[in-house]
Structures are given as C-alpha cells and as structure tokens.
Amino acid sequence: MKYYYNLLSQPSRALYIFLKLNNIPVEYKDVNLLNGDHLTDEFREINRFQKVPCIVDDDGWKLAESIAILRYLMSKYKNIPDHFYPSEIRARAAVDEYLEWQHLNTRLGCAIYFQIKKKIGPFAAISENPNEGALPIFKFLMESTLEAIETLWLRGKKFLCSDEISFADIIAACEIEQPRMTGYDIFENRPKLKEWYERVRAATNPHYDEAHVIVNKIIARSQKAKL
Amino acid sequence: MKYYYNLLSQPSRALYIFLKLNNIPVEYKDVNLLNGDHLTDEFREINRFQKVPCIVDDDGWKLAESIAILRYLMSKYKNIPDHFYPSEIRARAAVDEYLEWQHLNTRLGCAIYFQIKKKIGPFAAISENPNEGALPIFKFLMESTLEAIETLWLRGKKFLCSDEISFADIIAACEIEQPRMTGYDIFENRPKLKEWYERVRAATNPHYDEAHVIVNKIIARSQKAKL
C-alpha cells in the first residue's frame, strides 16, 4: 500500500503518526505541496480531489479522506490496538462523535484562522481586511472550539472520548498545532488542554515529534517574532 | 429512543428521512430552533453542544452528530438494508469517503453561503460587506462543490458512492437545498446533479418531501421574488 502525504498537512501528520505507531506496512510517498506536486495531471490519477493524505492499495484501489482511511485500516489490519477505534458500538460512537464534530469546529476554526493570519490557502483572501468581517468570526470559532475541548470533551476523562487514546486525540492534537504557528498561545488559561496535549505526545512519541519537526520550527520562529 | 430534531436543520432532515424510511422505532421530539429551545439549560442536559440532531437511548445514553448517529443505528438495528451503509469494507470506505469529504465541501459551501445570503446564524456577520471578502470565497467553494458532485462523484454511477442509494446521498441532497432557499439555481448546467437529486427523492419519498415542506415553501417564495 502506498501512503501519499505531506507533513505540512494536519490530517497527513495524524495518519503518519498512526501508521508509524502501529507499524503498518506502507510505502511513504511525500508529495511536495509547496511545489504544487498535488496539482499535476499525474497526481489527479492518484486522488481525483488532488489533496493529501490518500492511499493506493496493492491492487490499485484508491481512497482519500484521512478518517475514511483510518476506518479502512482498522478493518484491514486486525492487529491494531482496539482503543484507537473501538469495536464496541457505544465506545465507537463516542469516537465517531468527535471525528464528526471536529470538521466544522477544531478543523475549520484552527485551519481557517491559520490561513487568514498566514495568508496561505483558499481562505487567504479574507485577510485583506484582517480586522473586520471574517477574521473575528473565525477567531471566535477557534476559541469556542478550544473552550469546548477544555470544558466539555476533557471533562472527567484523560483523553477526548475515554481514558484511552483514540484516533480522535491524534487528529485533534495535529489540528491545534495550526494556530500555534501564528504565535497564538492555545494553552493560556487552558490547563486541561495542555495536560491532554502532553499525554497525546507521550503516547505517540517519538512519532509525534518526528511528524512535527517543520511545524515546531515555525512555532519557534513565531514565538521569537513576538518577543 | 428519543430523536431530537428540527426540519430547518439539514442533518436533522437527513436522519428524519432515514428513520421514517426504515421504520426505526423512535419518539420524535421537535426542538423549536427559532424559539431558541436548543439554547436552554434543560436542553444542555440532552446535548452538551446544544444542537440538533441528537438522540437519547432508552437507558439515557446520549449521542450527537448525525453521521455518528447513523453509524450507531446501523450497528444497533440489524434489519436496515445494507446499502445505506455497507458492511463490506471497501464499499463502506467509499461511503465514508463522501461522508468525510462533505463536511468542508457540500456542508460548509452550501450552509455558509445560505447563512451569509439570508443573514442567519453564526456566519451572518460576514454579510455586512456581501460583495467583498468572504462571500465570493464561499460562493466559489459552493460552486466548486456542486461541480465536484456533477463531474467526480456522479461519474459513471447512479448514486454518489455506487449504483445504490446510501446515507451519503440523503445527507448530500438535504445540504444542497440550502442555496436553493436563497434563489440560487443549483441545477442550471448540471444535468447529472438534477437527475441524481430526483433519483434520491424517488427512492426516499414520501418522506423526502414530507421533511422538506417548510424548505419548499421558502424555495417557492425566493423564486417568486426573482421574477
């Protein structure tokens, strides 16, 4: 199986960590997004949506969308620890609840805030008037999301969906790195978020830090710029 | 099991149609969104995110997020036809691929365009300068999504993920009703989208039309306003 990814993409990093952590036998294919290698006719044959991450299985069967890929891997490889995506129906539903919720909350809030602030990607044009219109709305959405993780998702649990780590935690941690790259301190006044984040890193390292080498350089630079 | 919903909410309508079509025994609880009944302390006990749709099972167990609820229902009720959410892993992955993709495409594009145009909901503030900034970006996103459905998802298939209807089709059809309520003609120059839409309605009626009585009144009014 071939895994197409780039470590600048949050869901690419989440699946990369998951694949490494579980020793899933894939061929890693880094797609240079900054060069536009995902926008070529050649790559359109690999993923009709021209995005990463995506997979091509040994017989040529293709799949896009990180969470759809996670579910496929859980069905295909029977030796992956169950807690990453539980088989018991209510435990699974609890993980599904976060995996659905995050798209228009964690992902939308953190990713679009990042794009507007950094003037990168399809929502960069919003940044023309950064103090009016859309930016405050997306900042509010991002902060509401971080508050919901702090006060609702992490209430009485070590991880987002139970006391054990699941794919929900990995994908959430990778998403909240985005605003950190703009110099925004996501952990200020959010002690549970910070403790949970360190728990996710500890449970997935050295792969978590390996997937975030470039991201961490950008975070360090943005913190230096603020001093 | 109690089903909390409101027919102004797209995912509420999708699950409503699915529940009726499959005779799933639930108690229907209409939550008046226009009155703010979802924002009460009482409703917070039912869904901590204060949104519809959501369910409370007989023993008090709660679940939010329409697609998480769909998966739970498929696991709990063994007599629902398999094609709605297939058990074979690649057929399921094909449905999962759409169910993941739609959040930041069909749903985001159609819902935010609707909110900005109608000045309703959390993104209404963007409408202050409707001709600049965010509106053209969301219009572009909505139109790209409709094009992707026309040219990629519906290529060589009767429904989005195969030749049989799945939950992906129901949730997609309910989402694309949103721009129709602003007077935007989603079917112009998109013949496959129109044929597919009529196929979804035919496969789910009378429940589809029953769930869209209010929506259809708003669409009729917006078309009249354009003449």
Side-chain angles (χ1 to χ4, degrees):
Chain A
M1 191 188 294
K2 291 189 180 78
Y3 174 56
Y4 294 86
Y5 74 102
N6 184 278
L7 295 179
L8 288 175
S9 136
Q10 310 89 287
S12 281
R13 294 196 297 268
L15 266 184
Y16 178 93
I17 294 162
F18 180 78
L19 289 164
K20 293 260 171 175
L21 197 57
N22 292 296
N23 288 308
I24 299 170
V26 299
E27 188 184 329
Y28 289 86
K29 307 282 266 183
D30 191 355
V31 179
N32 192 323
L33 301 180
L34 299 179
N35 274 359
D37 287 359
H38 56 308
L39 302 174
T40 61
D41 287 347
E42 197 189 339
F43 195 76
R44 187 185 289 121
E45 296 302 310
I46 293 165
N47 178 2
R48 65 202 191 283
F49 303 114
Q50 305 199 270
K51 287 185 174 164
V52 289
C54 63
I55 57 167
V56 180
D57 210 342
D58 292 337
D59 58 355
W61 184 82
K62 295 162 195 163
L63 187 64
E65 291 295 330
S66 57
I67 300 168
I69 295 169
L70 172 268
R71 291 196 179 93
Y72 178 70
L73 295 172
M74 289 300 297
S75 298
K76 182 169 167 142
Y77 298 100
K78 300 295 179 191
N79 57 342
I80 302 170
D82 191 70
H83 59 81
F84 284 114
Y85 190 57
S87 46
E88 191 280 314
I89 75 169
R90 286 189 174 180
R92 171 167 293 203
V95 176
D96 278 341
E97 190 181 56
Y98 179 80
L99 292 176
E100 296 302 322
W101 181 86
Q102 59 91 26
H103 286 283
L104 293 175
N105 291 281
T106 327
R107 180 158 178 78
L108 183 64
C110 294
I112 297 192
Y113 179 82
F114 169 80
Q115 287 187 19
I116 297 172
K117 290 291 277 188
K118 288 281 195 179
K119 304 182 195 245
I120 293 170
F123 293 97
I126 293 176
S127 61
E128 282 170 24
N129 292 301
N131 295 316
E132 341 175 340
L135 184 66
I137 295 175
F138 287 106
K139 189 169 189 225
F140 177 78
L141 177 65
M142 176 187 70
E143 293 186 330
S144 307
T145 287
L146 296 171
E147 279 310 300
I149 294 177
E150 176 80 12
T151 61
L152 299 177
W153 289 102
L154 291 173
R155 185 161 62 191
K157 302 194 263 11
K158 283 188 188 157
F159 291 97
L160 293 173
C161 308
S162 77
D163 281 334
E164 285 192 284
I165 192 169
S166 75
F167 191 69
D169 298 285
I170 303 176
I171 207 152
C174 292
E175 289 294 344
I176 65 169
E177 299 285 356
Q178 297 303 104
R180 298 184 74 206
M181 287 193 279
T182 70
Y184 180 88
D185 184 1
I186 58 170
F187 300 124
E188 196 183 350
N189 298 320
R190 296 186 188 105
K192 282 189 184 178
L193 188 76
K194 175 73 176 158
E195 282 166 32
W196 160 82
Y197 172 80
E198 292 303 344
R199 230 175 267 137
V200 176
R201 269 187 69 213
T204 55
N205 259 340
H207 313 295
Y208 193 93
D209 287 352
E210 185 199 325
H212 286 90
V213 168
I214 304 162
V215 169
N216 284 332
K217 276 185 194 161
I218 300 170
I219 293 170
R221 213 182 300 147
S222 74
Q223 283 168 340
K224 222 171 164 183
K226 280 186 89 182
L227 294 177
Chain B
M1 190 188 293
K2 292 189 180 78
Y3 174 56
Y4 294 85
Y5 75 103
N6 184 277
L7 295 179
L8 288 175
S9 136
Q10 309 88 288
S12 282
R13 295 197 296 270
L15 266 184
Y16 178 94
I17 294 163
F18 180 78
L19 289 164
K20 292 259 172 177
L21 196 58
N22 293 298
N23 288 309
I24 299 170
V26 298
E27 188 182 328
Y28 289 87
K29 307 283 267 183
D30 191 355
V31 179
N32 193 323
L33 301 180
L34 298 178
N35 275 359
D37 287 359
H38 57 307
L39 302 175
T40 62
D41 288 347
E42 198 189 337
F43 196 75
R44 188 185 289 122
E45 295 302 310
I46 293 164
N47 178 1
R48 64 201 190 285
F49 304 113
Q50 304 199 270
K51 287 184 175 165
V52 288
C54 63
I55 57 167
V56 180
D57 210 342
D58 292 336
D59 59 355
W61 185 82
K62 296 161 195 164
L63 187 63
E65 291 294 329
S66 57
I67 299 168
I69 295 170
L70 172 270
R71 290 196 179 95
Y72 178 70
L73 295 172
M74 289 300 298
S75 298
K76 181 169 167 142
Y77 299 100
K78 299 294 178 192
N79 58 342
I80 302 171
D82 191 70
H83 60 81
F84 283 113
Y85 190 58
S87 46
E88 192 279 316
I89 75 169
R90 287 189 174 180
R92 171 167 294 204
V95 176
D96 278 340
E97 190 181 56
Y98 179 82
L99 292 176
E100 297 302 323
W101 181 86
Q102 59 91 26
H103 286 282
L104 293 175
N105 290 281
T106 326
R107 181 160 177 78
L108 182 65
C110 294
I112 298 193
Y113 179 81
F114 169 80
Q115 288 188 18
I116 298 173
K117 289 291 276 189
K118 287 281 193 179
K119 304 182 195 247
I120 294 169
F123 293 97
I126 293 176
S127 62
E128 281 169 27
N129 292 302
N131 295 316
E132 341 174 342
L135 185 66
I137 295 175
F138 287 105
K139 188 169 190 226
F140 177 77
L141 177 64
M142 175 187 69
E143 293 186 330
S144 307
T145 288
L146 296 171
E147 279 310 300
I149 294 177
E150 176 81 12
T151 60
L152 299 177
W153 288 102
L154 291 172
R155 185 162 61 192
K157 303 195 262 9
K158 282 187 187 158
F159 291 98
L160 294 173
C161 308
S162 76
D163 280 335
E164 285 193 284
I165 191 168
S166 75
F167 191 69
D169 299 284
I170 303 176
I171 207 151
C174 293
E175 288 294 344
I176 65 170
E177 299 285 356
Q178 298 303 105
R180 297 185 74 206
M181 287 193 280
T182 70
Y184 180 89
D185 184 1
I186 57 170
F187 300 124
E188 195 183 349
N189 299 320
R190 296 185 188 108
K192 281 189 184 176
L193 188 75
K194 174 73 177 157
E195 282 167 30
W196 160 81
Y197 172 80
E198 292 303 344
R199 230 175 265 136
V200 175
R201 268 187 70 213
T204 56
N205 260 340
H207 313 295
Y208 193 92
D209 287 352
E210 187 199 323
H212 286 89
V213 168
I214 303 163
V215 169
N216 283 331
K217 276 186 192 160
I218 300 170
I219 292 170
R221 212 183 300 146
S222 74
Q223 283 170 338
K224 223 172 164 182
K226 280 187 89 181
L227 294 177

